[in-house]
Amino acid sequence: MGELLADHTTLRLGGPADRFLTHTDPAAWPDLTHTAVGGDAAPFVLGGGSNTLANDTGYPGTVIRMATRGVTVRPLGSDLVEVVVQAGEPLGSLVAFTVAEGLSGIEYLGGIPGTTGAAPVQNTGAYGQQISDTLTRLTVYDWNLGRARELRPADCDFGYRTSRFKTQPGRLTILNVGLRLARHTCASPIRYQHLADALAVRLGARPPLAEAAQAVLADRHNRGLSLPTCGPDARQAGSVFLNPPITHAQATAIRAAGGPVHSSPNGTLRASAGWLLEQTGFDPGIRVAPGVYCSQGRALTLTARDDATAASFTTALEVLADAVLTMHRIRLRSEPVQPNRMCLWRVGPGSGDG
Ligand SMILES: Cc1cc2nc3c(=O)[nH]c(=O)nc-3n(C[C@H](O)[C@H](O)[C@H](O)COP(=O)(O)OP(=O)(O)OC[C@H]3O[C@@H](n4cnc5c(N)ncnc54)[C@H](O)[C@@H]3O)c2cc1C
């Protein structure tokens, strides 16, 4: 039997991959791409597996786990540097490294599991910061063209928890990324009220860099946003739904009911998926489907327990989304990626550039 995806995802769900390759040496990438191509499905690229719901039947093709490590720092003049990071570098280690080096720009992304190469895929973000804020360029392998190319952030269609890597699944593999960071003893201005409260400062304040990074880790721990190494919530993929876009009328109704409404710089209003769920009566700790529970800390995180399967996890997602749709007339979109739904195109030339 092939390598089980359950052994490579934080939900610890998922059957075998037809073929499983681990990418550790950037110089060996061209050889690896030749080995990977073949069969009916596009290769599925895996980072830390913290945002992946792998199917019980596994993956009918090659899975490539990105495990390249390495960070280099290049001065850009003045107090700016460009940090070039290999895709397999854990995001948490990168944040810790940059804070220790006195580099500001990603300090609020500490404590998020997974790899740096996966972060641009859903434009991973937290506490008012997202990876696209500091990206300078990305080296990607284009499976359609069969070669590596460089992308600028403007090429990537970044938005709230989305990018072209998400909307064109499987086409582009991120090999390394460049980030522009500033040498500063202070953190970036705080844009997240909850964190400002935790640090007893006002929005827009710039607390000391290390203190801000530490406060994020402590706050994540207190609010059940960290990945425990053991216990009932150890098998999870973080929040299971994105904050949905809503109309002005829905925003008014939610505010009237005491719920939060977030507004993006582009004017899009979003409800809090967690708040919507709580209104439907799904409290922390509740069982939603066989082996699948809302986590002890929050309803928006689903955890897998002993008899959970990817199928029961999917059922749980449907149960929660249906409850919100029935009560609020708002459709939730799930956040974790399901590899078997990604085979939308075939490897090979002639499928167009862009
Ligand atoms: C406890 C917990 C807390 C979390 N908190 C947050 C949070 O605060 N904010 C947030 O945004 N997310 C959060 N997440 C979700 C997740 O950790 C992030 O989205 C993370 O960036 C995913 O990284 P990964 O390496 O684990 O991705 P994976 O699950 O391995 O992959 C996710 C997707 O990216 C693709 N991918 C992976 N690597 C590459 C690559 N090199 N090139 C191209 N595609 C690639 C995969 O094919 C898949 O489609 C949390 C998850 C957990 C478990």
Side-chain angles (χ1 to χ4, degrees):
M1 190 166 74
E3 187 88 17
L4 286 179
L5 296 180
D7 292 335
H8 299 280
T9 56
T10 56
L11 278 167
R12 289 179 236 153
L13 296 173
D18 281 1
R19 188 163 31 177
F20 190 92
L21 305 172
T22 301
H23 175 47
T24 53
D25 175 9
W29 177 256
D31 288 344
L32 187 141
T33 61
H34 291 126
T35 315
V37 176
D40 285 342
F44 179 75
V45 172
L46 198 60
S50 66
N51 214 18
T52 297
L53 171 56
N55 202 293
D56 294 319
T57 53
Y59 190 70
T62 303
V63 171
I64 305 174
R65 186 173 72 87
M66 303 299 279
T68 46
R69 301 287 300 263
V71 182
T72 54
V73 181
R74 187 173 74 88
L76 287 179
S78 169
D79 283 331
L80 292 176
V81 300
E82 184 182 48
V83 176
V84 177
V85 191
Q86 294 298 324
E89 191 67 39
L91 184 61
S93 314
L94 175 68
V95 173
F97 168 81
T98 57
V99 170
E101 291 290 307
L103 299 173
S104 158
I106 54 172
E107 56 275 21
Y108 299 131
L109 302 184
I112 301 178
T115 57
T116 306
V121 175
Q122 77 150 357
N123 194 9
T124 291
Y127 296 89
Q129 213 169 49
Q130 49 192 0
I131 196 76
S132 63
D133 295 343
T134 46
L135 277 172
T136 50
R137 59 195 165 94
L138 305 91
T139 308
V140 302
Y141 184 81
D142 187 326
W143 292 90
N144 271 22
L145 301 177
R147 63 174 168 83
R149 50 195 288 226
E150 194 148 291
L151 297 181
R152 298 280 157 191
D155 304 322
C156 299
D157 300 335
F158 286 120
Y160 163 74
R161 301 292 176 273
T162 189
S163 71
R164 74 181 289 187
F165 309 107
K166 209 165 187 180
T167 54
Q168 298 180 342
R171 173 168 173 182
L172 300 163
T173 295
I174 298 165
L175 301 177
N176 61 62
V177 303
L179 302 169
R180 190 197 319 267
L181 303 179
R183 279 204 186 284
H184 215 295
T185 51
C186 294
S188 310
I190 293 195
R191 288 190 229 134
Y192 195 73
Q193 185 66 57
H194 191 83
L195 187 61
D197 294 345
L199 281 160
V201 297
R202 278 186 302 192
L203 279 182
R206 301 190 64 180
L209 183 59
E211 200 178 300
Q214 197 50 47
V216 165
L217 295 180
D219 193 62
R220 291 190 75 98
H221 179 74
N222 294 339
R223 293 167 65 205
L225 297 173
S226 305
L227 184 61
T229 50
C230 58
D233 293 344
R235 294 169 59 191
Q236 53 155 297
S239 303
V240 289
F241 295 110
L242 302 170
N243 287 336
I246 50 173
T247 62
H248 283 277
Q250 286 169 326
T252 304
I254 287 171
R255 283 194 186 104
V261 172
H262 309 291
S263 57
S264 323
N266 68 3
T268 306
L269 298 175
R270 290 185 184 275
S272 153
W275 184 84
L276 293 173
L277 269 181
E278 283 160 19
Q279 302 308 297
T280 64
F282 280 98
D283 294 325
I286 227 166
R287 179 184 178 277
V288 186
V292 185
Y293 294 73
C294 293
S295 78
Q296 308 285 89
R298 57 202 294 260
L300 188 56
T301 295
L302 285 178
T303 62
R305 309 235 176 119
D306 295 339
D307 54 341
T309 59
S312 64
F313 201 90
T314 305
T315 301
L317 290 173
E318 288 164 0
V319 168
L320 297 185
D322 284 350
V324 168
L325 185 62
T326 304
M327 182 174 199
H328 301 282
R329 312 308 307 161
I330 295 173
R331 200 173 292 279
L332 293 181
R333 271 186 47 219
S334 64
E335 186 179 311
V337 176
Q338 295 181 267
N340 281 11
R341 296 188 184 166
M342 289 186 65
C343 311
L344 302 178
W345 58 276
R346 280 174 178 260
V347 177
S351 325
D353 198 355

